[in-house]
Amino acid sequence: MPALGAQLRRAFTEVGFYFIRGHGVPQAMVDTGFEAAARFHAQPLEAKLAMPFNRDNIGYLPMRGNTSRMNAVEGIKKPNANEAVFFKRELPADHPDRASGRRFRGPNQWPADLPGFREAALAYAGAMEELGRRLVPIYAVALGLPADWFADKFREPMFTLRMTHYPQQEATSPEDEWGLAPHADTSFMTILAQNKVPGLSLRLPGGRWIDAPALDGAFLVNGGMMLRRWSNHTFLATPHRVTNRSGGERYAIPFFMDCDYDAVMAPVPSCVTTENPAHYQPFTYPQFMEEYTGANYGERAAAGVALQGA
């Protein structure tokens, strides 16, 4: 594991993302995830609107339903030209967090007439969570910590599965209209299945944008603002953007994984030095996410989160 930790540290201090192969996730499951996304978005608009995006960040967000602000890395004025549906961990109805109404822990919304969709989405999310859990110890080693340092903070990690549809953007579309505007994710870890339809670009630390390579059978993994904040700016939050000018429809199924709901994230001790003192007070997942959603999804913005990754 020391060799993997060194590779991951180099990736997140010099590049901002990495690819993983030999992950054990069958290609058939990935294909089923993309098919599920296409099936969902092929439904009539009325069926999708019956699952409205809510305060738990669950449900359907219609075309141009949000604008990247809090995590934007360039001046963003126009809403994103995509539609998406969001799912989180499936909790039983009698779960204490459901009963108490804790934010981001509400029930998933499922399409009323799409056989097999729920099962496919949950299976894919489960496979991605398992993969993410296997990767977390490498992050600890990469930060100069024991491999089990994060173990008590990822007992039941928060996660979001997003299924996005990027319609073809015409050549006459404004230059400042994006399928997904330049931004950095909020996550500790984003796991992205490789897409056969191009459109994703990544920004290197020096500011140069490159088209994301598409490696067969691999997942692209990047860090977000939570990882950057927790690592006291040691690790990068990778800016990226999407423009679909492929001539066809584009779908994406990113999986965003974070720590446990109540885990307290103080700057990692190995990342706090005299030259790099702690930049943040300890925070939790709901505190962090409430600030983000307030800016990007139309609620009153809360103060306190820097635009990391810019």
Side-chain angles (χ1 to χ4, degrees):
M1 189 174 290
L4 290 175
Q7 291 176 30
L8 192 149
R9 185 177 183 88
R10 178 170 179 259
F12 275 162
T13 56
E14 298 180 18
V15 183
F17 61 92
Y18 63 91
F19 290 92
I20 179 171
R21 281 178 165 151
H23 43 69
V25 179
Q27 185 59 44
M29 176 169 284
V30 177
D31 294 341
T32 299
F34 278 112
E35 290 165 4
R39 289 178 62 211
F40 178 87
H41 289 294
Q43 295 181 106
L45 181 59
E46 295 75 16
K48 293 181 282 189
L49 290 174
M51 302 169 44
F53 187 79
N54 60 30
R55 68 185 295 272
D56 293 317
N57 284 21
I58 292 170
Y60 173 68
L61 195 68
M63 188 68 64
R64 296 181 175 83
N66 82 304
T67 302
S68 299
R69 295 190 184 95
M70 177 64 79
N71 54 342
V73 297
E74 296 177 8
I76 306 300
K77 299 179 181 179
K78 290 183 169 62
N80 292 309
N82 72 66
E83 57 178 338
V85 62
F86 300 77
F87 304 98
K88 293 192 180 295
R89 184 180 299 279
E90 186 88 328
L91 299 176
D94 61 352
H95 191 286
D97 288 356
R98 288 273 302 275
S100 62
R102 298 184 90 180
R103 191 175 184 188
F104 310 117
R105 299 287 275 173
N108 283 313
Q109 303 179 67
W110 299 106
D113 190 22
L114 211 58
F117 176 85
R118 175 178 176 273
E119 291 77 11
L122 291 177
Y124 187 77
M128 293 299 98
E129 180 187 5
E130 180 182 352
L131 174 58
R133 284 175 176 271
R134 286 190 281 124
L135 292 173
V136 165
I138 305 174
Y139 284 64
V141 173
L143 290 168
L145 302 166
D148 64 353
W149 193 86
F150 286 113
D152 63 339
K153 301 169 182 64
F154 283 86
R155 292 195 178 104
E156 189 183 82
M158 295 295 296
F159 65 72
T160 303
L161 172 62
R162 172 176 178 152
M163 294 182 167
T164 310
H165 172 215
Y166 297 98
Q168 159 70 9
Q169 291 176 254
E170 301 301 327
T172 55
S173 299
E175 289 187 3
D176 60 348
E177 179 178 81
W178 304 95
L180 190 60
H183 72 288
D185 291 337
T186 62
S187 59
F188 179 91
M189 179 191 307
T190 300
I191 306 175
L192 183 67
Q194 293 298 275
N195 202 312
K196 296 178 182 178
V197 179
L200 175 66
S201 299
L202 306 166
R203 199 184 78 173
L204 298 176
R208 181 168 64 93
W209 288 92
I210 63 169
D211 293 337
L215 306 181
D216 288 343
F219 287 100
L220 186 154
V221 184
N222 66 265
M225 296 188 293
M226 181 175 285
L227 176 63
R228 180 160 172 77
R229 184 170 174 173
W230 204 350
S231 68
N232 203 39
H233 291 187
T234 299
F235 281 175
L236 297 163
T238 311
H240 49 285
R241 64 192 183 192
V242 177
T243 303
N244 181 20
R245 301 192 189 277
S246 66
E249 305 304 300
R250 187 180 193 276
Y251 300 92
I253 48 174
F255 180 83
F256 308 95
M257 194 174 92
D258 297 306
C259 63
D260 294 354
Y261 191 91
D262 289 318
V264 177
M265 292 170 276
V268 171
S270 61
C271 299
V272 179
T273 65
T274 302
E275 294 75 23
N276 186 36
H279 297 286
Y280 301 99
Q281 294 297 314
F283 64 103
T284 63
Y285 174 88
Q287 290 171 337
F288 183 68
M289 289 303 297
E290 283 169 5
E291 293 169 340
Y292 166 72
T293 57
N296 281 359
Y297 295 106
E299 301 171 359
R300 180 181 62 82
V305 175
L307 301 186
Q308 300 167 44

